[in-house]
Amino acid sequence: MPTYLSRWMLILALTATVFVYLEGLHGPFLLDDNIHIAQNRWVKIDSLSWSNLTRAWDSSFSAFPSNRPLAQVSFGINHALAGLDSWSFKATNLTIHLIAGIVVFLLARLIYRVLNGSEGNPRTAQLFALFAAAFWLLHPLHLSTVLYTVQRMTQLSTLFEILGLASYMFGRIRISEGRSGAAWIIAAAPLAAIGFLAKETAALFPLLLLVTEFTLLHRLPSAHRRSFIRIVQATFIALPIIIAVAYFVLNPGYFSYESRSFTLEERVLTQARVLWTYLSWLYVPDISAYGLFHDDLVISTGLTEPPSTLLALLGLAVLAIAAVVARRRSPVFSFAALFFLASHSLESTAFPLEMVFEHRNYLASVGPLLLLAHLIVVDARRLNAASVARILGTLLLISFATVTYIRAHTWSSVERFALSAAQNHPQSPRANFMAAQVFINALAVNPNADPSIANTARGLLHNGLSADPGCINCLFGLVVLDLHLGQVPDRGTVEKLRTALRYDAVGPTKVTVSQFSFLVKWQRSNGVKLSGDDLESLFEAALANPGWNSTGRASIE
């Protein structure tokens, strides 16, 4: 394939990506977007002066290393150039996605070069890289990372990690060919460090280098500058991993589960099933399975509860062992499997994070999708099935683009987003609550609206409570719904809310702190209100709960 033709095909893939995402750019800020951007006065700078950029750089509510200043300053730049226009923020995210797709293309080219050297077929190399980049650019699993504005943190971290990986690999290739490559290798470290300033998951970079060395780069001739490569491996890979392990051993507070409704053991067991779910989403797109809310997931409470837990654990063990054993005969499979597992080693292991998030696959998917492209282009050619495989690959690519396009339409308005989430995840308390909010907001705009709107909202809130009797947001929603209808809130509901606020797990996934400010504002309006004693007791119950983080507690106070 001529170089100019491959460039035009890459441009075509980038253009198709813009097209399928275009409608979704009109969507509003959602959830954490409001905390980090829309309601963050430090981000709302009006010029690119040094003082304003510094202010945006320091605009996070979290302390190092969770402050993510690079992402925060990028939000500030967006605001300085276009104000609080969600379209411009999302368009910036899409631009970052396109740039990252180009880097995935370059990374695939480098991997083919490592595996085939001068004997490789340039046409096959180009086609392999094109399929890999197109799969990654158009995959529907990445849509929430692109259109959920705050996930720019994940995007920037991933971009600089794969840039660093490509730089490191290019330097290793050049040295193996007897040319200068030290500068490219050394540049990998600052690139990863830049990614760390966007999100701390870039700390995985040494582990990704280890995977790359173990599965791919060991194949390169090592006669040139062997001592330099050994020093680099010790400095860039071994030493950071040892320091990281020591750091977490000395700081066990990172594994505290006080604010979670599940235990460390339950999370680790459940994540085994979650990882296989991620892989199924990567290879078999299912629009009804995607979404921001996955609190309908059944928690694994033991090896056989549910039975799929043990199967998932055994499957991961087999996958890891097979990847190690196959590194010489099937290096791309080995790289894909170990890269996927390594990329999830922070967010899908013992740390007390939410169980499921799509954006955790933004980096991790690079390995499995490279493998898919390799099977379609390279392996199929060896089996004399190139034409059939490429047709199937193209059809799969079209299916990715179609599902992404449909999802982008869903994300183009908060109403579509919320109602779709509740439809696809009817057992999700968070999805039901957000959908109920849509109908409650409709009542707020028009108190004389069709009574069925109130009934629908109440039904959704009760659905959420059926799935999770401790759904504090759902209890809040029932109280607010009654107030909008001019009714005194049900006494039993208020009592349940007070008890839940005092004793149940709290946090951003369980209760939206803006509910408290809403109740205060409602007390100043005309119409039916909570009694002063009830309102005060709700605040007292919430503040007596030790589970709040500093941001949540400050918002209530």
Side-chain angles (χ1 to χ4, degrees), residues 21-28 86-87 90 147 411-413:
Y21 273 93
L22 199 56
E23 188 174 1
L25 300 182
H26 297 281
S86 62
W87 190 95
K90 294 175 189 290
L147 294 185
W411 279 66
S412 64
S413 76

Side-chain angles (χ1 to χ4, degrees), residues 240-311:
I241 291 175
I242 292 171
I243 292 174
V245 171
Y247 178 81
F248 288 120
V249 169
L250 295 173
N251 293 273
Y254 281 99
F255 303 97
S256 172
Y257 278 72
E258 290 182 358
S259 63
R260 291 296 179 187
S261 58
F262 46 83
T263 65
L264 168 63
E265 293 78 9
E266 288 172 342
R267 187 176 200 278
V268 172
L269 290 173
T270 305
Q271 285 305 304
R273 292 167 41 232
V274 169
L275 289 176
W276 286 110
T277 299
Y278 289 154
L279 284 172
S280 71
W281 288 349
L282 280 169
Y283 289 129
V284 186
D286 180 0
I287 195 167
S288 66
Y290 295 138
L292 272 185
F293 306 123
H294 297 283
D295 49 335
D296 51 352
L297 175 72
V298 175
I299 303 297
S300 293
T301 57
L303 284 173
T304 57
E305 299 176 4
S308 56
T309 305
L310 181 58
L311 292 175

Side-chain angles (χ1 to χ4, degrees), residues 447-462:
N448 299 317
D450 189 332
S452 64
I453 292 178
N455 294 334
T456 302
R458 196 176 300 277
L460 288 164
L461 293 169
H462 281 297

Side-chain angles (χ1 to χ4, degrees), residues 393-462:
T394 302
L395 292 175
L396 182 59
L397 190 58
I398 292 172
S399 73
F400 285 174
T402 302
V403 176
T404 303
Y405 179 81
I406 295 171
R407 291 198 72 194
H409 173 74
T410 300
W411 279 66
S412 64
S413 76
V414 68
E415 291 80 13
R416 291 194 191 103
F417 172 84
L419 297 179
S420 173
Q423 180 181 1
N424 292 334
H425 295 272
Q427 296 303 309
S428 164
R430 296 172 73 184
N432 277 286
F433 169 70
M434 191 170 186
Q437 278 188 307
V438 170
F439 291 101
I440 293 173
N441 290 338
L443 286 174
V445 173
N446 180 14
N448 299 317
D450 189 332
S452 64
I453 292 178
N455 294 334
T456 302
R458 196 176 300 277
L460 288 164
L461 293 169
H462 281 297

Side-chain angles (χ1 to χ4, degrees), residues 479-487 489 518-519 522 528-530:
V479 170
V480 171
L481 177 59
D482 282 340
L483 292 174
H484 276 296
L485 293 173
Q487 301 172 3
F518 170 83
L519 290 180
W522 187 270
V528 176
K529 305 179 181 65
L530 282 171

